[in-house]
Amino acid sequence: MDWFLSNSGMVLERAGQHLLLALVPMVLGLVLSIPLAQLARMNATLRSIILTASSLLYTIPSLALFIILPPLLGTRILDPLNVIVALTLYAIALLVRAALDAFDSVDEDLRQAAVAMGYKPGLRFLQVDLPLSLPVMFAGLRVVSVSNISLVSVAALLGVGNLGMLFTDGLQRTFVTEVVVGIVAILVLALLMDGVLVLLERLLTPWTRAAKGTADSSPAADSGRNAAAGLPATAEAAG
């Protein structure tokens, strides 16, 4: 605790670097994954190609990708851009499948109803498909946020500033306290990111709470509560 208090400024600086390197690829990955998933949903051949490519992409070791990218991008080995590009690729690999599952979860009857009401394909996607797919999409985003926060620490082996440098420095000095602080800081960062995503999902999908409230107040739900209390389904009506 004394070490953390005396080095809190450095830890917070590393945490800011870590958050930036994890957050930017997640956003970029989401933006790029949505059109790819939509293409995959509309074409069976593209679906197979995109899903296979995303699965293969995620099997590439992160450290190897961090090393390969600088010659390809023309950047220095310590450039944070290498980490952002690498983690964006990993985010796409995870989010393409999640986005495709999200679009598949939208009821086809709702799509047809939107067409019958005169929605053009682009407008239907923005006002029907995309909003209704958000609950499943956010589940994928939460996985990517944890994955990115974990993978960013690997970049510390190359000297890119983040919380992972507490691991490398602590290992070199055989100082366990610094390593423990790094682990706790990354866990806290992951929990905060997950909490923000949960809150954002609740703000963007208010109809899910309304639907749940309607289901809870339905006759079936009342019967379920009566059964749980050992009462017949007609007891409430008789009262």
Side-chain angles (χ1 to χ4, degrees):
M1 181 60 73
D2 292 339
W3 183 88
F4 171 72
L5 292 176
S6 59
N7 293 273
S8 58
M10 180 269 291
V11 174
L12 290 175
E13 180 184 357
R14 297 297 186 205
Q17 295 170 332
H18 201 107
L19 182 61
L20 181 65
L21 291 174
L23 187 58
V24 172
M26 185 178 73
V27 174
L28 292 176
L30 177 63
V31 171
L32 295 173
S33 295
I34 288 175
L36 286 174
Q38 180 67 356
L39 287 174
R41 192 182 69 81
M42 297 172 64
N43 187 290
T45 302
L46 282 178
R47 183 189 188 104
S48 179
I49 293 172
I50 290 173
L51 290 180
T52 301
S54 65
S55 298
L56 292 174
L57 183 60
Y58 201 71
T59 63
I60 301 175
S62 57
L63 185 58
L65 192 56
F66 291 153
I67 295 173
I68 290 172
L69 281 175
L72 297 177
L73 299 176
T75 56
R76 297 176 296 105
I77 191 71
L78 296 179
D79 197 327
L81 181 62
N82 302 321
V83 181
I84 291 175
V85 172
L87 294 188
T88 299
L89 293 176
Y90 286 133
I92 291 173
L94 291 174
L95 284 174
V96 162
R97 186 176 296 275
L100 185 55
D101 289 341
F103 294 145
D104 286 343
S105 71
V106 178
D107 193 336
E108 186 61 31
D109 290 340
L110 293 176
R111 290 195 178 103
Q112 295 304 323
V115 172
M117 292 173 64
Y119 279 77
K120 300 293 184 181
L123 189 61
R124 188 194 68 186
F125 176 75
L126 291 175
Q127 295 191 2
V128 178
D129 292 2
L130 190 58
L132 292 177
S133 68
L134 285 179
V136 178
M137 193 91 69
F138 268 100
L141 273 175
R142 292 174 67 183
V143 172
V144 172
S145 72
V146 173
S147 174
N148 276 11
I149 288 175
S150 175
L151 288 172
V152 166
S153 59
V154 179
L157 295 172
L158 304 178
V160 179
N162 62 76
L163 287 171
M165 298 194 80
L166 300 181
F167 301 156
T168 56
D169 189 54
L171 182 63
Q172 290 171 355
R173 297 193 298 153
T174 319
F175 187 42
V176 178
T177 300
E178 189 172 2
V179 176
V180 171
V181 169
I183 293 173
V184 172
I186 288 177
L187 288 174
V188 170
L189 205 59
L191 288 173
L192 288 175
M193 281 274 287
D194 190 67
V196 169
L197 288 175
V198 169
L199 179 61
L200 190 60
E201 179 186 358
R202 290 177 61 85
L203 290 175
L204 293 178
T205 58
W207 61 86
T208 57
R209 298 193 300 279
K212 183 178 179 181
T214 302
D216 288 343
S217 62
S218 67
D222 292 339
S223 298
R225 284 193 291 268
N226 289 336
L231 299 173
T234 57
E236 195 169 298

